[in-house]
Amino acid sequence: MTTPLVRTVTVVNPEGVHLRPADQLVRLASQFESNILIGKNSEMVDAKSILSLMTLGAEQGCDLQIEVEGSDAELAIAKVADLISSGFPPEDSDAEPSADGSVDAVSQDGSV
């Protein structure tokens, strides 16, 4: 069993981690094989569960701890920490973020 990678980030989004940012987190986390936990104080939740993330009540200025364990942990923790630290920037409605940081444009019919 490997030791999980741990990083602490501060929520900078003025509205905190509400539904849209939680959705962004879940979609990003779900692209990784690693187990990703996010927590506030001593409460850790699965970053791949939107309901769990919403229970954190993470407001602007609070510190969130990220714990990642698995084969792609280094990339996963970097991408999740970057998303939170960047304030959950609005996504282009015609683009889909990927784990490697690239954005693939999607046409109206769903093709890339």
Side-chain angles (χ1 to χ4, degrees):
M1 182 163 225
T2 61
T3 303
L5 300 178
V6 178
R7 188 174 296 175
T8 301
V9 294
T10 302
V11 176
V12 296
N13 185 325
E15 287 84 34
V17 182
H18 58 88
L19 190 57
R20 183 187 56 80
D23 177 62
Q24 285 180 280
L25 263 174
V26 168
R27 286 189 291 126
L28 178 62
S30 295
Q31 295 177 29
F32 296 99
E33 292 182 20
S34 293
N35 182 33
I36 305 171
L37 299 176
I38 295 181
K40 185 176 100 173
N41 302 324
S42 62
E43 180 184 5
M44 299 298 287
V45 300
D46 182 359
K48 297 177 183 179
S49 167
I50 196 162
L51 292 176
S52 295
L53 287 171
M54 295 302 296
T55 66
L56 288 176
E59 299 176 344
Q60 182 183 31
C62 79
D63 289 331
L64 294 179
Q65 184 174 3
I66 307 166
E67 289 185 17
V68 182
E69 187 172 10
S71 61
D72 52 3
E74 288 186 27
L75 181 60
I77 201 166
K79 293 297 180 181
V80 170
D82 286 347
L83 180 62
I84 296 169
S85 297
S86 69
F88 301 95
E91 297 174 298
D92 181 351
S93 61
D94 290 334
E96 293 181 2
S98 63
D100 67 4
S102 64
V103 176
D104 296 324
V106 178
S107 69
Q108 296 292 50
D109 66 1
S111 63
V112 178

